[in-house]
Amino acid sequence: MSVVLKEVTESGLEAIPEHRRSKLPQAYTFFSAVVLSVWDNILGPQVHHVWFGATSGDLQPDIVHYVSSHTLNGEIVRTDLREKPGDRISAKLFVFAEKRVCVTAFIFKGYAKSAPCLFSLCLVMMLDQLPSYLPLHDLCEAKMQICVTKLIGMQKKEMAISRFSKTIQEFVQSISNITLAPLSNVKLQSTAFQASVEIFERDFLKRCITSHLQTCCCTIVVGETIEPVNMMISTLALFLSPTERQRSRYAVDTSDLIYESDLFLQGLLLERGETGHKQIPGHEVVRTKLPSTLINVTRFAVEQTNPSHKHHAMRDDFLALEHNLMMEPGMRRESALRPPDTSKTVLGSKATLPAVPDSNNFYKNVFHETYDQSKLVQDFLMEVFQLLPACGVREAYISQFVRLLQRKSLALIKYVEAESSRLDHPLEPGLSRDIIKKLKRALSLEIEGDFKIILATAEKLQPGMFLHLLGDPAAQCRKVQEELEVL
């Protein structure tokens, strides 16, 4: 008995068996360790595997078992017998001041020796990293939800941990890449507004800013040279909040940098003659929470994905199909990941989605070129270039323009709430066309480009505004199907 107690209480880093330890990439990252634990009905929480980072030496000796027990002990009441592995993944943030660490834990039901068991996958970091980590918490949570789903699917096969090690290392590397070239304090001198001479052509800059604002300020900038790419990123960053800038990055002169989903701004360098399509996997773009703009500063092309409500409908379908594929390793890919039979414009050329896509072509055609006109952006550019670039005058005017968009968005939200309170039926189909026309006239948004900008800004302030105003495309499709079935 004493031997067993000694083994359980001896919880130093060296006490973890060699076959239960792996290394994380040595690049700078927030995470000192990643701990996978499992609930044992006899012994309680048990460390299943640990991935140690470059800063794991700063952790206290007993931290691994401490994290394991404190994240799983509180889940003993999670006894829903109908819950299956993968049905629910709970994310929790713990701050253990006495241990000088903070932990993001993901609690889920998985498989241990082919039997359903409760697991926790914990990201362990030093407490002084918390202020830098918090702006990226939502991003890490979204990526880890996918990692956990992959792990549950892998647990049905042999060598699950060795296969999952590659997944967790790719996750840590992706977070490190975000901090590789962060947007710190953006200066006017590094933007297209630095001088009276226009660096980018006025019409191209107008299209870039318009599409950037229409897609909730989520933009990918690509090009063959780094200077114009980073200048465009700095220009568009002026329309972001400080927190959103922390979820953005500049382009760097390295081939290791790849596209990362759920960033607000990011830059990628292209080889001569490339369009950016190969560097940006379509299924990764669909997986993002917000629609995206793609700007090619070499070809002067501006493209964007579907509006927010249609993007969310496509994203929900994709995540459901991807979840089925991960949870059923024996399922054929063509039966689980079959995109809708449709034709879209890809980078200016017509292309049809393949009937049975492979991993590289799935949801390839998600961008379409945009030429939307916006009087708000046109007037803004005309007036900002009339101001002197010195003494902070242009910076103040740009900030005032952002506040103008937010005030109009708040007015739109209040208008929609007032109209919704008068309706007796639910808003699933969206507001009527007459109400939307009346709203556009009241807010001086008759131009469709202006309306999309204000609606996208309102979506950031109050998520779901696209659905409330324009309706859920999935629900509208179901309604049409029901009506056709009655005929």
Side-chain angles (χ1 to χ4, degrees), residues 181 190 200 221-234 250-254 257 267-270 297-298:
S190 62
F200 294 108
V221 183
V222 299
E224 296 177 3
T225 53
I226 193 170
E227 290 80 8
V229 170
N230 285 341
M231 180 169 288
M232 180 60 72
I233 290 176
S234 296
Y250 286 112
V252 294
D253 194 6
T254 174
L257 205 61
L268 295 173
L269 291 184
L270 306 177
V297 295
T298 302

Side-chain angles (χ1 to χ4, degrees), residues 149 153 318-337:
T149 305
F318 173 79
L319 292 180
L321 295 173
E322 187 179 50
H323 181 270
N324 292 337
L325 181 68
M326 293 177 183
M327 296 305 298
E328 300 294 338
M331 181 182 294
R332 292 177 59 84
R333 185 175 187 86
E334 55 267 27
S335 63
L337 295 179

Side-chain angles (χ1 to χ4, degrees), residues 163-181:
R163 296 171 61 199
F164 182 66
S165 292
K166 182 180 179 181
T167 300
I168 204 67
Q169 289 171 357
E170 290 174 350
F171 161 75
V172 172
Q173 187 64 53
S174 69
I175 300 300
S176 298
N177 288 341
I178 296 173
T179 61
L180 188 62

